[in-house]
Amino acid sequence: MRKTLSILAAGLVVAGLAACSSGSPTASSSPSASAASTACINVKEGDASKAVTVSGAFGATPKVTIKTPLKASSLERSVAITGDGSEVKGGDSVDIAIAAYNGTTGKELIPATGFGGTGAQAIPVDATKYAPGLVRAVECLPLKSRVVIAGSAKEMFGAADISQLSIKATDPVVFVVDSIDKAPTRADGTPVAPKAGFPTVTLSKTGEPTITIPKADPPTTTQIAVLKQGDGEVVQSGDTVTVQYKGVLWRNGQMFDSSWSRGAPTPLQTTGVVKGFQKALEGQKVGTQVIAVIPPADGYGKTGQGDIKATDTMVFVIDILKTTR
């Protein structure tokens, strides 16, 4: 997934599988947002949110005009389009499209993302896990709604590191958010008998995997096995795929990255991840869960990354939830 998308949509720096210019993933970090709980909090309209004019159909990239400089010290929300879907509540996972603006200048913080039916971001409706501004934008409203939410960067992003967005905590920020649909959080395919020699996988009640490494040398080539067989659309090269995943090291079982730990699925492009992860995705059907054992040649090569040494074999369990192209 792109780093700019993760900073905005998650309110976090989440780039655990994003490709650098070399084609290797970057390291991840996941500070939690400071605000609140999963309880539904209805944010009221105010002068700041009313100073933003939005036009365009739901799902299409909005045309946004902001009366600058905006003054916003606390969260304010205006509903531009009231949807006809089910109400979004705390604890849900929701696909959203987002546009973000500097309230002082009216300029985009990053390009609008998720509109036009591509690249939607799944977020948990829990401000302890994701940017409070995004959570407050969608909760207590029906799906298919479009909202304007405004506040200080601190109010919008919570405790997340926003240094890459070139704004201060006191600067006003505006989000325009379309709540598209409830998002699946785990693969729903038919269980498949595990293959001999692979790490064993057990699932919690939420679907999060625990991976146990066998007492054996790792394979020298990438090995992939299906744990649940889905029956949805086939993932093609270049697709943006929404996944849940956990990655551990073969040598000690240590977890180095996990979308489960961040509280929501992750969208990523098959051509923007390490080769072994790409092999695990392409050709599989939505609803499938796979395990992939990836040696350095199909992972980080001779350089390693963070806690991952150049000699490390990685093991991923991946739930394939959605694919778009």
Side-chain angles (χ1 to χ4, degrees):
M1 118 191 100
R2 293 168 293 171
K3 184 180 288 186
T4 51
L5 171 60
S6 62
I7 293 170
L8 176 62
L12 312 168
V13 179
V14 178
L17 294 170
C20 301
S21 58
S22 65
S24 297
T26 62
S28 68
S29 60
S30 52
S32 60
S34 62
S37 68
T38 58
C40 186
I41 297 176
N42 197 354
V43 179
K44 295 182 179 180
E45 188 176 49
D47 292 339
S49 63
K50 289 190 291 185
V52 181
T53 302
V54 180
S55 60
F58 175 86
T61 302
K63 182 178 180 180
V64 178
T65 303
I66 302 172
K67 294 180 181 179
T68 58
L70 201 67
K71 294 183 179 180
S73 57
S74 60
L75 292 181
E76 299 176 3
R77 183 178 74 179
S78 298
V79 179
I81 299 172
T82 301
D84 58 2
S86 60
E87 182 178 306
V88 176
K89 299 178 181 180
D92 287 341
S93 182
V94 179
D95 282 338
I96 64 169
I98 48 179
Y101 303 87
N102 185 319
T104 300
T105 64
K107 295 182 179 180
E108 287 185 327
L109 288 176
I110 68 164
T113 303
F115 297 98
T118 61
Q121 168 73 42
I123 69 166
V125 185
D126 181 347
T128 66
K129 295 179 178 178
Y130 262 48
L134 290 175
V135 172
R136 303 305 179 216
V138 300
E139 66 182 354
C140 310
L141 289 174
L143 289 168
K144 311 299 182 184
S145 293
R146 169 172 288 178
V147 304
V148 174
I149 190 161
S152 69
K154 176 65 175 178
E155 290 283 336
M156 298 287 268
F157 288 100
D161 179 5
I162 57 173
S163 58
Q164 294 184 54
L165 295 178
S166 300
I167 54 175
K168 301 189 297 293
T170 55
D171 288 343
V173 170
V174 174
F175 291 162
V176 177
V177 182
D178 285 5
S179 58
I180 299 170
D181 203 355
K182 297 285 180 71
T185 59
R186 60 191 296 179
D188 61 359
T190 302
V192 175
K195 286 187 177 181
F198 274 79
T200 58
V201 178
T202 57
L203 303 179
S204 72
K205 291 181 179 180
T206 65
E208 180 175 3
T210 296
I211 305 167
T212 303
I213 305 299
K215 294 182 179 179
D217 292 333
T220 57
T221 59
T222 295
Q223 301 293 312
I224 298 165
V226 172
L227 300 177
K228 294 181 182 180
Q229 181 59 64
D231 60 2
E233 189 172 2
V234 175
V235 176
Q236 298 180 19
S237 181
D239 281 5
T240 296
V241 185
T242 300
V243 297
Q244 288 272 39
Y245 68 90
K246 178 178 283 187
V248 302
L249 302 177
W250 184 285
R251 62 179 162 88
N252 58 8
Q254 176 185 335
M255 186 188 80
F256 59 86
D257 196 11
S258 171
S259 66
W260 293 97
S261 297
R262 294 191 292 272
T266 295
L268 49 86
Q269 193 169 28
T270 67
T271 52
V273 295
V274 295
K275 187 178 296 183
F277 204 98
Q278 180 179 3
K279 290 178 179 179
L281 294 176
E282 293 179 358
Q284 301 290 352
K285 293 182 177 181
V286 170
T288 296
Q289 181 185 71
V290 298
I291 182 169
V293 182
I294 304 173
D298 277 350
Y300 290 93
K302 298 179 181 179
T303 59
Q305 179 75 42
D307 292 334
I308 305 170
K309 298 180 180 180
T311 56
D312 270 332
T313 293
M314 301 181 291
V315 180
F316 285 99
V317 172
I318 309 164
D319 285 20
I320 301 172
L321 307 178
K322 183 174 68 172
T323 192
T324 57
R325 61 182 62 91

